[in-house]
Amino acid sequence: MRINRVGALGALAALTLTLAACGGGAEGTASGAPAAPMTPAPAAAAADGVTTNEDVFGPACSQLPQGEAPGSLNNMGPQPVASAASTNPLLTTLVTAVGKVDGLADTLNSQEAITVFAPYNGAFDEVKKALGNRAFNELLGDQQQLGGLLSYHVVPKRYDAEGLAEAKTVTELAGGQVTIGGTAAAPTITDGQGNTANVLCGNIPTDNATVFVIDKVLMPAG
């Protein structure tokens, strides 16, 4: 399935101002997630961006199930990214949104090597609060806009945190770029609207992707 690039997201115009006013921290999000990743820093991973459980870092990683339970690192690792995300308790709203776009989950699962910036549940709560229930539901019902917005969170190349920090700028699957700031131990992602997201749990390995759970929904420039 080819994912169409979208232009300006008219329904999100009001949201742009709201997100800019919120800044880059997560203190204002509904679930009160920590604002920035803490130590330990991620270990250096392979040059192809493939990570292991030992490379995972961030303050929200402790919220993942343990052992072999669904949503644990051991459980997600062998699965392709959309299937892995479906069991991650931090990403239930994202999974619901992906399911609204016909074929998107299959497209993500079929990619060979990608990086996914995955907004946690509280990030979508902020979008819903800013837009209002009606506009938010309209966005969820518009496959073209929603598909483009979600695809703006996917990089068609696999990076670990160190690789992102070195790259500085990466191009998204839907087109458009995001800017990487900070360090490999505490990377930030700045979208096309100038909003900055922090990594809550990064370097999560799945079969075909490295995943970074972030505290903002990224917005393309237009």
Side-chain angles (χ1 to χ4, degrees):
M1 172 184 174
R2 181 177 180 272
I3 300 177
N4 294 325
R5 180 176 178 175
V6 295
L9 299 178
L12 300 181
L15 177 60
T16 301
L17 297 177
T18 301
L19 292 180
C22 289
E27 294 89 347
T29 57
S31 67
M38 305 298 181
T39 54
D48 58 5
V50 175
T51 58
T52 68
N53 291 358
E54 288 70 32
D55 302 314
V56 175
F57 69 100
C61 297
S62 62
Q63 299 178 34
L64 297 177
Q66 301 300 304
E68 304 297 327
S72 67
L73 295 175
N74 289 341
N75 177 265
M76 290 188 291
Q79 299 185 67
V81 64
S83 298
S86 70
T87 64
N88 188 323
L90 299 174
L91 304 178
T92 54
T93 307
L94 174 61
V95 170
T96 297
V98 170
K100 298 285 187 181
V101 182
D102 293 342
L104 181 56
D106 290 338
T107 297
L108 294 174
N109 278 342
S110 67
Q111 297 295 308
E112 293 186 0
I114 57 178
T115 304
V116 177
F117 300 122
Y120 88 121
N121 297 330
F124 285 98
D125 290 341
E126 285 297 302
V127 173
K128 186 174 183 179
K129 180 180 178 181
L131 288 178
N133 289 340
R134 180 176 178 179
F136 184 75
N137 289 333
E138 287 176 353
L139 173 62
L140 291 180
D142 188 325
Q143 292 205 25
Q144 183 178 10
Q145 284 197 348
L146 183 61
L149 180 63
L150 295 175
S151 299
Y152 185 66
H153 293 74
V154 180
V155 182
K157 179 178 179 179
R158 193 163 185 165
Y159 288 97
D160 63 354
E162 185 176 9
L164 286 175
E166 292 175 353
K168 305 295 185 185
T169 302
V170 293
T171 300
E172 303 303 285
L173 188 63
Q177 295 182 327
V178 298
T179 302
I180 310 301
T183 66
T188 61
I189 302 95
T190 300
D191 65 18
Q193 300 283 359
N195 306 302
T196 297
N198 297 298
V199 174
L200 300 178
C201 187
N203 274 351
I204 298 175
T206 71
D207 181 59
N208 66 326
T210 300
V211 178
F212 295 82
V213 178
I214 59 176
D215 66 355
K216 297 285 183 186
V217 175
L218 303 176
M219 299 292 169

